[in-house]
PDB file of all heavy atoms in Angstrom:
ATOM      1  N   PHE A   4       0.847  -1.188   0.000  1.00  0.00           N
ATOM      2  CA  PHE A   4       0.000   0.000   0.000  1.00  0.00           C
ATOM      3  C   PHE A   4       0.887   1.244   0.000  1.00  0.00           C
ATOM      4  O   PHE A   4       2.087   1.171   0.261  1.00  0.00           O
ATOM      5  CB  PHE A   4      -0.894   0.029   1.243  1.00  0.00           C
ATOM      6  CG  PHE A   4      -1.885  -1.103   1.299  1.00  0.00           C
ATOM      7  CD1 PHE A   4      -1.737  -2.119   2.224  1.00  0.00           C
ATOM      8  CD2 PHE A   4      -2.978  -1.130   0.443  1.00  0.00           C
ATOM      9  CE1 PHE A   4      -2.650  -3.164   2.299  1.00  0.00           C
ATOM     10  CE2 PHE A   4      -3.900  -2.159   0.505  1.00  0.00           C
ATOM     11  CZ  PHE A   4      -3.738  -3.176   1.429  1.00  0.00           C
ATOM     12  N   ARG A   5       0.267   2.387  -0.262  1.00  0.00           N
ATOM     13  CA  ARG A   5       1.028   3.623  -0.093  1.00  0.00           C
ATOM     14  C   ARG A   5       1.401   3.783   1.374  1.00  0.00           C
ATOM     15  O   ARG A   5       0.685   3.313   2.265  1.00  0.00           O
ATOM     16  CB  ARG A   5       0.198   4.819  -0.553  1.00  0.00           C
ATOM     17  CG  ARG A   5      -0.012   4.904  -2.054  1.00  0.00           C
ATOM     18  CD  ARG A   5      -0.517   6.270  -2.458  1.00  0.00           C
ATOM     19  NE  ARG A   5      -1.030   6.288  -3.814  1.00  0.00           N
ATOM     20  CZ  ARG A   5      -1.390   7.381  -4.456  1.00  0.00           C
ATOM     21  NH1 ARG A   5      -1.294   8.564  -3.857  1.00  0.00           N
ATOM     22  NH2 ARG A   5      -1.853   7.333  -5.687  1.00  0.00           N
ATOM     23  N   PRO A   6       2.522   4.472   1.668  1.00  0.00           N
ATOM     24  CA  PRO A   6       2.936   4.659   3.056  1.00  0.00           C
ATOM     25  C   PRO A   6       1.818   5.262   3.902  1.00  0.00           C
ATOM     26  O   PRO A   6       1.148   6.214   3.490  1.00  0.00           O
ATOM     27  CB  PRO A   6       4.127   5.617   2.947  1.00  0.00           C
ATOM     28  CG  PRO A   6       4.704   5.316   1.601  1.00  0.00           C
ATOM     29  CD  PRO A   6       3.514   5.031   0.721  1.00  0.00           C
ATOM     30  N   GLY A   7       1.591   4.675   5.078  1.00  0.00           N
ATOM     31  CA  GLY A   7       0.601   5.194   6.013  1.00  0.00           C
ATOM     32  C   GLY A   7      -0.731   4.468   6.000  1.00  0.00           C
ATOM     33  O   GLY A   7      -1.492   4.561   6.967  1.00  0.00           O
ATOM     34  N   VAL A   8      -1.036   3.741   4.922  1.00  0.00           N
ATOM     35  CA  VAL A   8      -2.340   3.072   4.827  1.00  0.00           C
ATOM     36  C   VAL A   8      -2.500   2.025   5.919  1.00  0.00           C
ATOM     37  O   VAL A   8      -3.521   1.983   6.622  1.00  0.00           O
ATOM     38  CB  VAL A   8      -2.541   2.444   3.433  1.00  0.00           C
ATOM     39  CG1 VAL A   8      -3.781   1.548   3.416  1.00  0.00           C
ATOM     40  CG2 VAL A   8      -2.667   3.536   2.373  1.00  0.00           C
ATOM     41  N   MET A   9      -1.503   1.185   6.095  1.00  0.00           N
ATOM     42  CA  MET A   9      -1.599   0.130   7.117  1.00  0.00           C
ATOM     43  C   MET A   9      -1.669   0.744   8.513  1.00  0.00           C
ATOM     44  O   MET A   9      -2.374   0.233   9.391  1.00  0.00           O
ATOM     45  CB  MET A   9      -0.416  -0.816   7.001  1.00  0.00           C
ATOM     46  CG  MET A   9      -0.428  -1.677   5.752  1.00  0.00           C
ATOM     47  SD  MET A   9      -1.611  -3.041   5.794  1.00  0.00           S
ATOM     48  CE  MET A   9      -0.683  -4.277   6.714  1.00  0.00           C
ATOM     49  N   ASP A  10      -0.959   1.850   8.745  1.00  0.00           N
ATOM     50  CA  ASP A  10      -1.030   2.528  10.045  1.00  0.00           C
ATOM     51  C   ASP A  10      -2.447   3.020  10.325  1.00  0.00           C
ATOM     52  O   ASP A  10      -2.961   2.879  11.438  1.00  0.00           O
ATOM     53  CB  ASP A  10      -0.053   3.706  10.092  1.00  0.00           C
ATOM     54  CG  ASP A  10       1.386   3.256  10.172  1.00  0.00           C
ATOM     55  OD1 ASP A  10       1.673   2.294  10.900  1.00  0.00           O
ATOM     56  OD2 ASP A  10       2.245   3.863   9.487  1.00  0.00           O
ATOM     57  N   ARG A  11      -3.086   3.607   9.309  1.00  0.00           N
ATOM     58  CA  ARG A  11      -4.451   4.110   9.494  1.00  0.00           C
ATOM     59  C   ARG A  11      -5.446   2.983   9.777  1.00  0.00           C
ATOM     60  O   ARG A  11      -6.443   3.186  10.474  1.00  0.00           O
ATOM     61  CB  ARG A  11      -4.884   4.921   8.269  1.00  0.00           C
ATOM     62  CG  ARG A  11      -4.154   6.252   8.143  1.00  0.00           C
ATOM     63  CD  ARG A  11      -4.827   7.160   7.142  1.00  0.00           C
ATOM     64  NE  ARG A  11      -4.729   6.667   5.776  1.00  0.00           N
ATOM     65  CZ  ARG A  11      -3.705   6.917   4.970  1.00  0.00           C
ATOM     66  NH1 ARG A  11      -2.666   7.628   5.401  1.00  0.00           N
ATOM     67  NH2 ARG A  11      -3.698   6.454   3.727  1.00  0.00           N
ATOM     68  N   LEU A  12      -5.146   1.809   9.262  1.00  0.00           N
ATOM     69  CA  LEU A  12      -6.007   0.657   9.529  1.00  0.00           C
ATOM     70  C   LEU A  12      -5.752   0.061  10.910  1.00  0.00           C
ATOM     71  O   LEU A  12      -6.523  -0.786  11.379  1.00  0.00           O
ATOM     72  CB  LEU A  12      -5.779  -0.427   8.465  1.00  0.00           C
ATOM     73  CG  LEU A  12      -6.270  -0.103   7.045  1.00  0.00           C
ATOM     74  CD1 LEU A  12      -5.737  -1.139   6.061  1.00  0.00           C
ATOM     75  CD2 LEU A  12      -7.798  -0.057   7.015  1.00  0.00           C
ATOM     76  N   GLY A  13      -4.660   0.476  11.534  1.00  0.00           N
ATOM     77  CA  GLY A  13      -4.323  -0.047  12.856  1.00  0.00           C
ATOM     78  C   GLY A  13      -3.467  -1.292  12.815  1.00  0.00           C
ATOM     79  O   GLY A  13      -3.311  -1.984  13.832  1.00  0.00           O
ATOM     80  N   ILE A  14      -2.901  -1.586  11.649  1.00  0.00           N
ATOM     81  CA  ILE A  14      -2.079  -2.791  11.519  1.00  0.00           C
ATOM     82  C   ILE A  14      -0.739  -2.455  10.851  1.00  0.00           C
ATOM     83  O   ILE A  14      -0.195  -3.243  10.086  1.00  0.00           O
ATOM     84  CB  ILE A  14      -2.816  -3.898  10.744  1.00  0.00           C
ATOM     85  CG1 ILE A  14      -3.427  -3.355   9.439  1.00  0.00           C
ATOM     86  CG2 ILE A  14      -3.893  -4.540  11.604  1.00  0.00           C
ATOM     87  CD1 ILE A  14      -4.070  -4.426   8.571  1.00  0.00           C
ATOM     88  N   GLY A  15      -0.219  -1.280  11.157  1.00  0.00           N
ATOM     89  CA  GLY A  15       1.108  -0.910  10.686  1.00  0.00           C
ATOM     90  C   GLY A  15       2.182  -1.631  11.478  1.00  0.00           C
ATOM     91  O   GLY A  15       1.894  -2.417  12.400  1.00  0.00           O
ATOM     92  N   TYR A  16       3.436  -1.346  11.157  1.00  0.00           N
ATOM     93  CA  TYR A  16       4.543  -2.084  11.764  1.00  0.00           C
ATOM     94  C   TYR A  16       4.566  -1.986  13.281  1.00  0.00           C
ATOM     95  O   TYR A  16       4.695  -3.000  13.975  1.00  0.00           O
ATOM     96  CB  TYR A  16       5.872  -1.593  11.191  1.00  0.00           C
ATOM     97  CG  TYR A  16       7.072  -2.212  11.859  1.00  0.00           C
ATOM     98  CD1 TYR A  16       7.256  -3.586  11.859  1.00  0.00           C
ATOM     99  CD2 TYR A  16       8.012  -1.416  12.517  1.00  0.00           C
ATOM    100  CE1 TYR A  16       8.360  -4.171  12.487  1.00  0.00           C
ATOM    101  CE2 TYR A  16       9.120  -1.984  13.130  1.00  0.00           C
ATOM    102  CZ  TYR A  16       9.288  -3.360  13.121  1.00  0.00           C
ATOM    103  OH  TYR A  16      10.366  -3.923  13.743  1.00  0.00           O
ATOM    104  N   GLU A  17       4.438  -0.786  13.817  1.00  0.00           N
ATOM    105  CA  GLU A  17       4.537  -0.633  15.269  1.00  0.00           C
ATOM    106  C   GLU A  17       3.423  -1.400  15.984  1.00  0.00           C
ATOM    107  O   GLU A  17       3.658  -2.038  17.011  1.00  0.00           O
ATOM    108  CB  GLU A  17       4.500   0.848  15.650  1.00  0.00           C
ATOM    109  CG  GLU A  17       5.712   1.651  15.174  1.00  0.00           C
ATOM    110  CD  GLU A  17       7.020   1.136  15.758  1.00  0.00           C
ATOM    111  OE1 GLU A  17       6.997   0.550  16.870  1.00  0.00           O
ATOM    112  OE2 GLU A  17       8.067   1.315  15.110  1.00  0.00           O
ATOM    113  N   ALA A  18       2.216  -1.345  15.437  1.00  0.00           N
ATOM    114  CA  ALA A  18       1.097  -2.060  16.069  1.00  0.00           C
ATOM    115  C   ALA A  18       1.311  -3.562  16.013  1.00  0.00           C
ATOM    116  O   ALA A  18       1.065  -4.274  17.005  1.00  0.00           O
ATOM    117  CB  ALA A  18      -0.213  -1.684  15.380  1.00  0.00           C
ATOM    118  N   LEU A  19       1.777  -4.062  14.894  1.00  0.00           N
ATOM    119  CA  LEU A  19       1.957  -5.508  14.756  1.00  0.00           C
ATOM    120  C   LEU A  19       3.185  -5.996  15.509  1.00  0.00           C
ATOM    121  O   LEU A  19       3.186  -7.113  16.040  1.00  0.00           O
ATOM    122  CB  LEU A  19       2.061  -5.875  13.270  1.00  0.00           C
ATOM    123  CG  LEU A  19       0.812  -5.580  12.423  1.00  0.00           C
ATOM    124  CD1 LEU A  19       1.006  -6.068  11.009  1.00  0.00           C
ATOM    125  CD2 LEU A  19      -0.433  -6.190  13.050  1.00  0.00           C
ATOM    126  N   ARG A  20       4.211  -5.164  15.587  1.00  0.00           N
ATOM    127  CA  ARG A  20       5.392  -5.552  16.360  1.00  0.00           C
ATOM    128  C   ARG A  20       5.066  -5.701  17.836  1.00  0.00           C
ATOM    129  O   ARG A  20       5.663  -6.533  18.534  1.00  0.00           O
ATOM    130  CB  ARG A  20       6.508  -4.529  16.158  1.00  0.00           C
ATOM    131  CG  ARG A  20       7.796  -4.903  16.869  1.00  0.00           C
ATOM    132  CD  ARG A  20       8.913  -3.956  16.560  1.00  0.00           C
ATOM    133  NE  ARG A  20       8.681  -2.632  17.115  1.00  0.00           N
ATOM    134  CZ  ARG A  20       9.636  -1.716  17.276  1.00  0.00           C
ATOM    135  NH1 ARG A  20      10.876  -1.995  16.889  1.00  0.00           N
ATOM    136  NH2 ARG A  20       9.357  -0.544  17.769  1.00  0.00           N
ATOM    137  N   ALA A  21       4.116  -4.915  18.296  1.00  0.00           N
ATOM    138  CA  ALA A  21       3.699  -5.032  19.698  1.00  0.00           C
ATOM    139  C   ALA A  21       3.057  -6.393  19.965  1.00  0.00           C
ATOM    140  O   ALA A  21       3.134  -6.920  21.080  1.00  0.00           O
ATOM    141  CB  ALA A  21       2.722  -3.915  20.044  1.00  0.00           C
ATOM    142  N   VAL A  22       2.439  -6.959  18.955  1.00  0.00           N
ATOM    143  CA  VAL A  22       1.836  -8.287  19.084  1.00  0.00           C
ATOM    144  C   VAL A  22       2.895  -9.376  18.948  1.00  0.00           C
ATOM    145  O   VAL A  22       2.876 -10.382  19.663  1.00  0.00           O
ATOM    146  CB  VAL A  22       0.737  -8.484  18.013  1.00  0.00           C
ATOM    147  CG1 VAL A  22       0.147  -9.895  18.077  1.00  0.00           C
ATOM    148  CG2 VAL A  22      -0.352  -7.435  18.172  1.00  0.00           C
ATOM    149  N   ASN A  23       3.835  -9.173  18.027  1.00  0.00           N
ATOM    150  CA  ASN A  23       4.849 -10.188  17.745  1.00  0.00           C
ATOM    151  C   ASN A  23       6.194  -9.502  17.495  1.00  0.00           C
ATOM    152  O   ASN A  23       6.476  -9.057  16.381  1.00  0.00           O
ATOM    153  CB  ASN A  23       4.430 -11.018  16.528  1.00  0.00           C
ATOM    154  CG  ASN A  23       5.426 -12.105  16.181  1.00  0.00           C
ATOM    155  OD1 ASN A  23       6.500 -12.224  16.766  1.00  0.00           O
ATOM    156  ND2 ASN A  23       5.078 -12.924  15.188  1.00  0.00           N
ATOM    157  N   PRO A  24       7.051  -9.414  18.518  1.00  0.00           N
ATOM    158  CA  PRO A  24       8.333  -8.700  18.377  1.00  0.00           C
ATOM    159  C   PRO A  24       9.280  -9.338  17.362  1.00  0.00           C
ATOM    160  O   PRO A  24      10.200  -8.672  16.878  1.00  0.00           O
ATOM    161  CB  PRO A  24       8.930  -8.764  19.796  1.00  0.00           C
ATOM    162  CG  PRO A  24       7.767  -9.010  20.690  1.00  0.00           C
ATOM    163  CD  PRO A  24       6.808  -9.847  19.906  1.00  0.00           C
ATOM    164  N   ARG A  25       9.069 -10.603  17.023  1.00  0.00           N
ATOM    165  CA  ARG A  25       9.940 -11.282  16.059  1.00  0.00           C
ATOM    166  C   ARG A  25       9.482 -11.081  14.615  1.00  0.00           C
ATOM    167  O   ARG A  25      10.089 -11.604  13.691  1.00  0.00           O
ATOM    168  CB  ARG A  25       9.980 -12.793  16.368  1.00  0.00           C
ATOM    169  CG  ARG A  25      10.758 -13.150  17.621  1.00  0.00           C
ATOM    170  CD  ARG A  25      10.592 -14.621  17.974  1.00  0.00           C
ATOM    171  NE  ARG A  25      10.884 -15.514  16.856  1.00  0.00           N
ATOM    172  CZ  ARG A  25      12.107 -15.930  16.500  1.00  0.00           C
ATOM    173  NH1 ARG A  25      13.158 -15.512  17.204  1.00  0.00           N
ATOM    174  NH2 ARG A  25      12.282 -16.745  15.483  1.00  0.00           N
ATOM    175  N   LEU A  26       8.453 -10.273  14.434  1.00  0.00           N
ATOM    176  CA  LEU A  26       7.866 -10.101  13.113  1.00  0.00           C
ATOM    177  C   LEU A  26       8.804  -9.346  12.168  1.00  0.00           C
ATOM    178  O   LEU A  26       9.402  -8.339  12.536  1.00  0.00           O
ATOM    179  CB  LEU A  26       6.549  -9.339  13.226  1.00  0.00           C
ATOM    180  CG  LEU A  26       5.757  -9.169  11.933  1.00  0.00           C
ATOM    181  CD1 LEU A  26       5.201 -10.513  11.461  1.00  0.00           C
ATOM    182  CD2 LEU A  26       4.626  -8.165  12.137  1.00  0.00           C
ATOM    183  N   ILE A  27       8.896  -9.827  10.945  1.00  0.00           N
ATOM    184  CA  ILE A  27       9.589  -9.128   9.867  1.00  0.00           C
ATOM    185  C   ILE A  27       8.525  -8.509   8.980  1.00  0.00           C
ATOM    186  O   ILE A  27       7.659  -9.208   8.450  1.00  0.00           O
ATOM    187  CB  ILE A  27      10.483 -10.102   9.067  1.00  0.00           C
ATOM    188  CG1 ILE A  27      11.638 -10.575   9.963  1.00  0.00           C
ATOM    189  CG2 ILE A  27      11.012  -9.441   7.796  1.00  0.00           C
ATOM    190  CD1 ILE A  27      12.358 -11.788   9.445  1.00  0.00           C
ATOM    191  N   TYR A  28       8.573  -7.202   8.835  1.00  0.00           N
ATOM    192  CA  TYR A  28       7.528  -6.446   8.142  1.00  0.00           C
ATOM    193  C   TYR A  28       8.145  -5.799   6.913  1.00  0.00           C
ATOM    194  O   TYR A  28       9.034  -4.953   7.024  1.00  0.00           O
ATOM    195  CB  TYR A  28       6.953  -5.393   9.087  1.00  0.00           C
ATOM    196  CG  TYR A  28       5.783  -4.600   8.564  1.00  0.00           C
ATOM    197  CD1 TYR A  28       4.505  -4.795   9.076  1.00  0.00           C
ATOM    198  CD2 TYR A  28       5.944  -3.629   7.580  1.00  0.00           C
ATOM    199  CE1 TYR A  28       3.425  -4.045   8.621  1.00  0.00           C
ATOM    200  CE2 TYR A  28       4.877  -2.883   7.107  1.00  0.00           C
ATOM    201  CZ  TYR A  28       3.616  -3.096   7.636  1.00  0.00           C
ATOM    202  OH  TYR A  28       2.548  -2.355   7.182  1.00  0.00           O
ATOM    203  N   CYS A  29       7.681  -6.196   5.734  1.00  0.00           N
ATOM    204  CA  CYS A  29       8.238  -5.680   4.477  1.00  0.00           C
ATOM    205  C   CYS A  29       7.193  -4.859   3.745  1.00  0.00           C
ATOM    206  O   CYS A  29       6.127  -5.370   3.383  1.00  0.00           O
ATOM    207  CB  CYS A  29       8.700  -6.842   3.610  1.00  0.00           C
ATOM    208  SG  CYS A  29       9.328  -6.330   1.985  1.00  0.00           S
ATOM    209  N   THR A  30       7.495  -3.595   3.521  1.00  0.00           N
ATOM    210  CA  THR A  30       6.615  -2.736   2.737  1.00  0.00           C
ATOM    211  C   THR A  30       7.297  -2.384   1.417  1.00  0.00           C
ATOM    212  O   THR A  30       8.499  -2.113   1.376  1.00  0.00           O
ATOM    213  CB  THR A  30       6.247  -1.457   3.508  1.00  0.00           C
ATOM    214  OG1 THR A  30       5.378  -0.653   2.705  1.00  0.00           O
ATOM    215  CG2 THR A  30       7.474  -0.639   3.883  1.00  0.00           C
ATOM    216  N   ILE A  31       6.523  -2.422   0.346  1.00  0.00           N
ATOM    217  CA  ILE A  31       7.021  -2.101  -0.991  1.00  0.00           C
ATOM    218  C   ILE A  31       6.199  -0.932  -1.520  1.00  0.00           C
ATOM    219  O   ILE A  31       4.967  -0.989  -1.529  1.00  0.00           O
ATOM    220  CB  ILE A  31       6.871  -3.290  -1.958  1.00  0.00           C
ATOM    221  CG1 ILE A  31       7.496  -4.563  -1.371  1.00  0.00           C
ATOM    222  CG2 ILE A  31       7.486  -2.980  -3.313  1.00  0.00           C
ATOM    223  CD1 ILE A  31       7.099  -5.836  -2.110  1.00  0.00           C
ATOM    224  N   SER A  32       6.873   0.112  -1.944  1.00  0.00           N
ATOM    225  CA  SER A  32       6.158   1.264  -2.502  1.00  0.00           C
ATOM    226  C   SER A  32       7.009   1.885  -3.599  1.00  0.00           C
ATOM    227  O   SER A  32       8.164   1.508  -3.798  1.00  0.00           O
ATOM    228  CB  SER A  32       5.848   2.300  -1.416  1.00  0.00           C
ATOM    229  OG  SER A  32       7.047   2.796  -0.839  1.00  0.00           O
ATOM    230  N   GLY A  33       6.443   2.839  -4.299  1.00  0.00           N
ATOM    231  CA  GLY A  33       7.173   3.452  -5.400  1.00  0.00           C
ATOM    232  C   GLY A  33       8.440   4.140  -4.965  1.00  0.00           C
ATOM    233  O   GLY A  33       9.480   4.046  -5.635  1.00  0.00           O
ATOM    234  N   PHE A  34       8.390   4.835  -3.810  1.00  0.00           N
ATOM    235  CA  PHE A  34       9.505   5.701  -3.425  1.00  0.00           C
ATOM    236  C   PHE A  34      10.010   5.482  -2.004  1.00  0.00           C
ATOM    237  O   PHE A  34      10.903   6.192  -1.557  1.00  0.00           O
ATOM    238  CB  PHE A  34       9.089   7.160  -3.611  1.00  0.00           C
ATOM    239  CG  PHE A  34       8.716   7.474  -5.031  1.00  0.00           C
ATOM    240  CD1 PHE A  34       7.411   7.358  -5.465  1.00  0.00           C
ATOM    241  CD2 PHE A  34       9.685   7.846  -5.955  1.00  0.00           C
ATOM    242  CE1 PHE A  34       7.062   7.619  -6.787  1.00  0.00           C
ATOM    243  CE2 PHE A  34       9.352   8.113  -7.270  1.00  0.00           C
ATOM    244  CZ  PHE A  34       8.034   7.985  -7.698  1.00  0.00           C
ATOM    245  N   GLY A  35       9.443   4.507  -1.303  1.00  0.00           N
ATOM    246  CA  GLY A  35       9.859   4.277   0.070  1.00  0.00           C
ATOM    247  C   GLY A  35       8.988   5.032   1.050  1.00  0.00           C
ATOM    248  O   GLY A  35       8.157   5.862   0.668  1.00  0.00           O
ATOM    249  N   SER A  36       9.162   4.753   2.323  1.00  0.00           N
ATOM    250  CA  SER A  36       8.282   5.314   3.349  1.00  0.00           C
ATOM    251  C   SER A  36       8.762   6.652   3.901  1.00  0.00           C
ATOM    252  O   SER A  36       8.126   7.231   4.776  1.00  0.00           O
ATOM    253  CB  SER A  36       8.135   4.318   4.505  1.00  0.00           C
ATOM    254  OG  SER A  36       9.381   4.061   5.112  1.00  0.00           O
ATOM    255  N   THR A  37       9.888   7.158   3.407  1.00  0.00           N
ATOM    256  CA  THR A  37      10.382   8.476   3.822  1.00  0.00           C
ATOM    257  C   THR A  37      10.736   9.287   2.583  1.00  0.00           C
ATOM    258  O   THR A  37      10.788   8.757   1.471  1.00  0.00           O
ATOM    259  CB  THR A  37      11.631   8.348   4.715  1.00  0.00           C
ATOM    260  OG1 THR A  37      12.663   7.663   3.990  1.00  0.00           O
ATOM    261  CG2 THR A  37      11.318   7.579   5.992  1.00  0.00           C
ATOM    262  N   GLY A  38      11.014  10.570   2.774  1.00  0.00           N
ATOM    263  CA  GLY A  38      11.421  11.421   1.661  1.00  0.00           C
ATOM    264  C   GLY A  38      10.254  12.194   1.063  1.00  0.00           C
ATOM    265  O   GLY A  38       9.088  11.868   1.291  1.00  0.00           O
ATOM    266  N   PRO A  39      10.548  13.219   0.271  1.00  0.00           N
ATOM    267  CA  PRO A  39       9.504  14.124  -0.231  1.00  0.00           C
ATOM    268  C   PRO A  39       8.527  13.472  -1.214  1.00  0.00           C
ATOM    269  O   PRO A  39       7.433  13.992  -1.423  1.00  0.00           O
ATOM    270  CB  PRO A  39      10.305  15.244  -0.910  1.00  0.00           C
ATOM    271  CG  PRO A  39      11.634  14.623  -1.232  1.00  0.00           C
ATOM    272  CD  PRO A  39      11.901  13.654  -0.119  1.00  0.00           C
ATOM    273  N   PHE A  40       8.909  12.342  -1.828  1.00  0.00           N
ATOM    274  CA  PHE A  40       8.026  11.685  -2.801  1.00  0.00           C
ATOM    275  C   PHE A  40       7.319  10.460  -2.219  1.00  0.00           C
ATOM    276  O   PHE A  40       6.715   9.689  -2.952  1.00  0.00           O
ATOM    277  CB  PHE A  40       8.827  11.274  -4.036  1.00  0.00           C
ATOM    278  CG  PHE A  40       9.141  12.396  -4.979  1.00  0.00           C
ATOM    279  CD1 PHE A  40      10.049  13.396  -4.629  1.00  0.00           C
ATOM    280  CD2 PHE A  40       8.518  12.481  -6.216  1.00  0.00           C
ATOM    281  CE1 PHE A  40      10.339  14.439  -5.493  1.00  0.00           C
ATOM    282  CE2 PHE A  40       8.804  13.520  -7.091  1.00  0.00           C
ATOM    283  CZ  PHE A  40       9.715  14.504  -6.726  1.00  0.00           C
ATOM    284  N   ARG A  41       7.381  10.305  -0.899  1.00  0.00           N
ATOM    285  CA  ARG A  41       6.887   9.076  -0.268  1.00  0.00           C
ATOM    286  C   ARG A  41       5.429   8.781  -0.581  1.00  0.00           C
ATOM    287  O   ARG A  41       5.027   7.627  -0.652  1.00  0.00           O
ATOM    288  CB  ARG A  41       7.076   9.147   1.253  1.00  0.00           C
ATOM    289  CG  ARG A  41       6.276  10.237   1.939  1.00  0.00           C
ATOM    290  CD  ARG A  41       6.620  10.329   3.436  1.00  0.00           C
ATOM    291  NE  ARG A  41       6.244   9.154   4.177  1.00  0.00           N
ATOM    292  CZ  ARG A  41       5.057   8.968   4.731  1.00  0.00           C
ATOM    293  NH1 ARG A  41       4.124   9.910   4.626  1.00  0.00           N
ATOM    294  NH2 ARG A  41       4.783   7.875   5.406  1.00  0.00           N
ATOM    295  N   ASN A  42       4.619   9.805  -0.783  1.00  0.00           N
ATOM    296  CA  ASN A  42       3.185   9.594  -0.991  1.00  0.00           C
ATOM    297  C   ASN A  42       2.782   9.491  -2.465  1.00  0.00           C
ATOM    298  O   ASN A  42       1.606   9.324  -2.769  1.00  0.00           O
ATOM    299  CB  ASN A  42       2.381  10.716  -0.325  1.00  0.00           C
ATOM    300  CG  ASN A  42       2.449  10.631   1.195  1.00  0.00           C
ATOM    301  OD1 ASN A  42       2.349   9.547   1.763  1.00  0.00           O
ATOM    302  ND2 ASN A  42       2.649  11.772   1.847  1.00  0.00           N
ATOM    303  N   GLU A  43       3.762   9.587  -3.370  1.00  0.00           N
ATOM    304  CA  GLU A  43       3.431   9.469  -4.792  1.00  0.00           C
ATOM    305  C   GLU A  43       3.206   8.014  -5.176  1.00  0.00           C
ATOM    306  O   GLU A  43       3.854   7.104  -4.663  1.00  0.00           O
ATOM    307  CB  GLU A  43       4.552  10.050  -5.655  1.00  0.00           C
ATOM    308  CG  GLU A  43       4.562  11.566  -5.677  1.00  0.00           C
ATOM    309  CD  GLU A  43       5.114  12.105  -6.994  1.00  0.00           C
ATOM    310  OE1 GLU A  43       5.231  11.325  -7.970  1.00  0.00           O
ATOM    311  OE2 GLU A  43       5.407  13.301  -7.027  1.00  0.00           O
ATOM    312  N   ALA A  44       2.268   7.806  -6.093  1.00  0.00           N
ATOM    313  CA  ALA A  44       1.997   6.457  -6.582  1.00  0.00           C
ATOM    314  C   ALA A  44       3.186   5.947  -7.384  1.00  0.00           C
ATOM    315  O   ALA A  44       3.852   6.706  -8.087  1.00  0.00           O
ATOM    316  CB  ALA A  44       0.743   6.456  -7.450  1.00  0.00           C
ATOM    317  N   GLY A  45       3.450   4.665  -7.268  1.00  0.00           N
ATOM    318  CA  GLY A  45       4.534   4.047  -8.016  1.00  0.00           C
ATOM    319  C   GLY A  45       4.001   3.026  -8.999  1.00  0.00           C
ATOM    320  O   GLY A  45       3.462   2.000  -8.600  1.00  0.00           O
ATOM    321  N   TYR A  46       4.114   3.313 -10.282  1.00  0.00           N
ATOM    322  CA  TYR A  46       3.720   2.376 -11.328  1.00  0.00           C
ATOM    323  C   TYR A  46       4.940   2.009 -12.155  1.00  0.00           C
ATOM    324  O   TYR A  46       5.862   2.819 -12.303  1.00  0.00           O
ATOM    325  CB  TYR A  46       2.642   2.989 -12.216  1.00  0.00           C
ATOM    326  CG  TYR A  46       1.313   3.140 -11.510  1.00  0.00           C
ATOM    327  CD1 TYR A  46       0.977   4.335 -10.887  1.00  0.00           C
ATOM    328  CD2 TYR A  46       0.407   2.089 -11.462  1.00  0.00           C
ATOM    329  CE1 TYR A  46      -0.231   4.487 -10.223  1.00  0.00           C
ATOM    330  CE2 TYR A  46      -0.817   2.218 -10.798  1.00  0.00           C
ATOM    331  CZ  TYR A  46      -1.126   3.423 -10.187  1.00  0.00           C
ATOM    332  OH  TYR A  46      -2.322   3.562  -9.522  1.00  0.00           O
ATOM    333  N   ASP A  47       4.944   0.829 -12.701  1.00  0.00           N
ATOM    334  CA  ASP A  47       6.114   0.335 -13.412  1.00  0.00           C
ATOM    335  C   ASP A  47       6.588   1.312 -14.488  1.00  0.00           C
ATOM    336  O   ASP A  47       7.773   1.654 -14.543  1.00  0.00           O
ATOM    337  CB  ASP A  47       5.817  -1.029 -14.038  1.00  0.00           C
ATOM    338  CG  ASP A  47       7.001  -1.563 -14.812  1.00  0.00           C
ATOM    339  OD1 ASP A  47       7.898  -2.153 -14.196  1.00  0.00           O
ATOM    340  OD2 ASP A  47       7.051  -1.355 -16.046  1.00  0.00           O
TER     341      ASP A  47
END
């Protein structure tokens, strides 16, 4: 999803890590979760 979507649903990394500290959480987006373009859509 775009950065922030999972957080708004209540199942972002911090929320899920609290349930399972051994969790590996991988997010894929066009530009990454930080930086000025973080919210831009990423298409091939």
Side-chain angles (χ1 to χ4, degrees):
F4 296 110
R5 289 195 194 188
V8 170
M9 291 285 277
D10 288 319
R11 290 194 293 273
L12 291 169
I14 49 175
Y16 175 59
E17 294 299 333
L19 297 184
R20 183 175 68 163
V22 177
N23 181 355
R25 288 172 52 83
L26 184 69
I27 292 164
Y28 185 109
C29 177
T30 180
I31 308 166
S32 61
F34 300 91
S36 61
T37 59
F40 283 70
R41 64 185 295 272
N42 291 317
E43 284 210 14
Y46 290 94
D47 179 83

